[in-house]
């Protein structure tokens, strides 16, 4: 005679899951989670503070340029803290022990800030202004605008140490700054989608990657031409102002 298995309702399933979890999660595991939760949250809050410090520095520079030269070099700013899953994934891929000190010493992009500019020249201008500040220490500089990646990716990457001031101490925290133009950002977000879509057949993915490489070249040319137009406008404006002064 066949055994009739009763149909489980959602609430029965939830209750079963709860019971199973309580059995599986030992006191030892809970103790370990408790011990590490606070230091983890503390470390993440340091990264968050450092990210805010760097963001403020760029907002101040933008404000100053707007007053002094009547133009805003920054179009927009994006910030992000790396998720626990991607931090753990990156540490595993680098064969690092899963400890907070290994994280601090080896993973430099937990706090990330992306500065989007209209023109490539503004990227270098802003990077120089940031690096001139006496509380900022440059750890690493990767210029993927001068030397684009094989994919066509372009951006200027800086890893910097920035101090944050806590109740009784000063801590140096690493922040990754990515500076790029609107065109570079537009390209990178579409290419990112392509990179993480796992269900595209290989030959189509290769074809799209080649198309994206071409788009990166066209987009870099567009950046150069638009910058040249911007510079011509500024030159003509300055000439015009000179003529006014002569009168
Ligand atoms: P997410 O979500 O943006 O953080 P390292 O970090 O130094 O160990 P790597 O690969 O040398 O590793 O760093 P790299 O290439 O200097 O910078 C990594 C980040 O740059 C990536 O972060 C992307 O944000 C961006 N990036 C680099 N290459 C490409 C590319 O070809 N296409 C796109 N769209 N973005 C790129 P994550 O960690 O991948 O992701």
């Amino acid at each position: 005679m066949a055994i009739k298995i009763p149909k489980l309702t959602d609430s029965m399933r939830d209750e079963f899951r709860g019971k199973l979890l309580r059995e599986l999660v030992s006191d030892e595991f809970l103790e370990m989670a408790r011990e590490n939760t606070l230091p983890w949250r503390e470390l993440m809050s340091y990264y968050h503070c450092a990210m805010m410090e760097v963001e403020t520095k760029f907002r101040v520079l933008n404000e100053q340029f707007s007053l002094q030269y009547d133009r805003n070099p920054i179009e927009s700013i994006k910030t992000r803290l790396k998720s626990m899953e991607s931090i753990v994934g990156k540490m595993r891929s680098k064969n690092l022990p899963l400890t907070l000190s290994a994280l601090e010493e080896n993973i430099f992009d937990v706090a990330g800030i992306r500065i989007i500019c209209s023109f490539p020249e503004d990227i270098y201008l802003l990077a120089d202004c940031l690096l001139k500040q006496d509380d900022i220490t440059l750890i690493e500089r990767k210029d993927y605008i001068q030397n684009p990646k094989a994919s066509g990716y372009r951006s200027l990457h800086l890893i910097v140490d920035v101090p944050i001031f806590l109740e009784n101490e000063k801590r140096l925290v690493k922040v990754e700054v990515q500076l790029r133009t609107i065109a570079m950002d537009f390209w990178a977000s579409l290419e990112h989608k392509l990179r993480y879509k796992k269900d595209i057949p290989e030959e189509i993915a290769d074809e799209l990657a080649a198309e994206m490489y071409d788009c990166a070249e066209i987009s870099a040319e567009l950046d150069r031409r638009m910058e040249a137009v911007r510079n011509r406008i500024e030159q003509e404006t300055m000439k015009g102002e000179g003529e006014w002064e002569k009168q």
Side-chain angles (χ1 to χ4, degrees):
M1 197 180 75
I3 302 168
K4 207 168 171 214
I5 299 171
K7 216 169 177 303
L8 287 180
T9 62
D10 284 349
S11 70
M12 284 159 84
R13 224 174 263 128
D14 284 348
E15 194 186 337
F16 178 68
R17 254 190 227 123
K19 275 188 186 155
L20 191 64
L21 259 180
R22 277 192 292 280
E23 287 301 315
L24 288 175
V25 177
S26 63
D27 286 351
E28 196 187 353
F29 176 86
L30 287 174
E31 194 52 42
M32 189 189 81
R34 250 194 303 273
E35 268 175 22
N36 286 296
T37 302
L38 191 60
W40 171 268
R41 286 178 53 191
E42 210 169 46
L43 183 60
M44 289 304 121
S45 95
Y46 297 155
Y47 282 117
H48 187 236
C49 294
M51 203 168 70
M52 289 195 296
E53 289 282 354
V54 177
E55 181 178 5
T56 304
K57 284 175 178 293
F58 279 109
R59 291 203 184 279
V60 168
L61 287 171
N62 204 35
E63 176 80 16
Q64 196 215 335
F65 275 92
S66 149
L67 279 173
Q68 210 164 330
Y69 306 108
D70 200 22
R71 71 187 182 89
N72 296 95
I74 300 177
E75 276 297 322
S76 60
I77 299 181
K78 297 173 193 168
T79 55
R80 74 105 184 80
L81 269 190
K82 226 176 174 61
S83 67
M84 188 196 267
E85 291 77 20
S86 55
I87 291 174
V88 170
K90 192 161 187 172
M91 291 180 80
R92 288 219 168 103
S93 72
K94 289 180 177 248
N95 280 325
L96 294 168
L98 291 180
T99 63
L100 296 187
S101 55
L103 165 58
E104 274 193 278
E105 283 157 26
N106 298 282
I107 307 293
F108 298 162
D109 65 342
V110 175
I113 174 157
R114 200 168 273 161
I115 308 296
I116 319 287
C117 304
S118 297
F119 303 102
E121 280 171 2
D122 291 339
I123 290 175
Y124 293 102
L125 176 74
L126 288 166
D128 286 348
C129 289
L130 177 77
L131 296 174
K132 263 194 267 169
Q133 301 186 6
D134 62 10
D135 55 348
I136 289 281
T137 309
L138 177 67
I139 305 296
E140 195 178 309
R141 183 179 191 274
K142 290 185 193 166
D143 190 342
Y144 297 126
I145 300 174
Q146 292 298 315
N147 309 295
K149 285 200 162 187
S151 59
Y153 177 78
R154 286 168 169 80
S155 285
L156 177 66
H157 291 194
L158 308 172
I159 306 285
V160 295
D161 251 341
V162 61
I164 57 164
F165 295 87
L166 304 164
E167 192 183 358
N168 296 315
E169 63 166 328
K170 170 178 137 181
R171 278 184 83 105
L172 291 176
V173 183
K174 290 192 176 49
V175 175
E176 183 190 62
V177 185
Q178 296 183 347
L179 296 113
R180 47 171 82 153
T181 62
I182 300 170
M184 292 171 196
D185 190 51
F186 181 36
W187 181 94
S189 36
L190 183 58
E191 200 268 351
H192 191 266
K193 276 193 194 126
L194 174 65
R195 190 169 285 261
Y196 289 97
K197 278 264 178 283
K198 295 288 172 225
D199 44 1
I200 301 179
E202 206 180 314
E203 69 279 11
I204 296 180
D206 289 348
E207 194 187 306
L208 293 178
E211 176 68 4
M212 284 308 287
Y213 182 83
D214 278 354
C215 289
E217 293 292 302
I218 295 167
S219 162
E221 177 61 13
L222 179 69
D223 269 345
R224 279 190 285 273
R225 290 175 65 175
M226 301 267 273
E227 186 166 80
V229 171
R230 192 268 308 252
N231 291 346
R232 285 283 304 281
I233 294 171
E234 280 185 0
Q235 277 167 14
E236 294 304 320
T237 313
M238 271 158 58
K239 263 195 232 161
E241 281 167 2
E243 276 159 24
W244 273 98
E245 275 162 21
K246 269 186 248 152
Q247 286 169 6

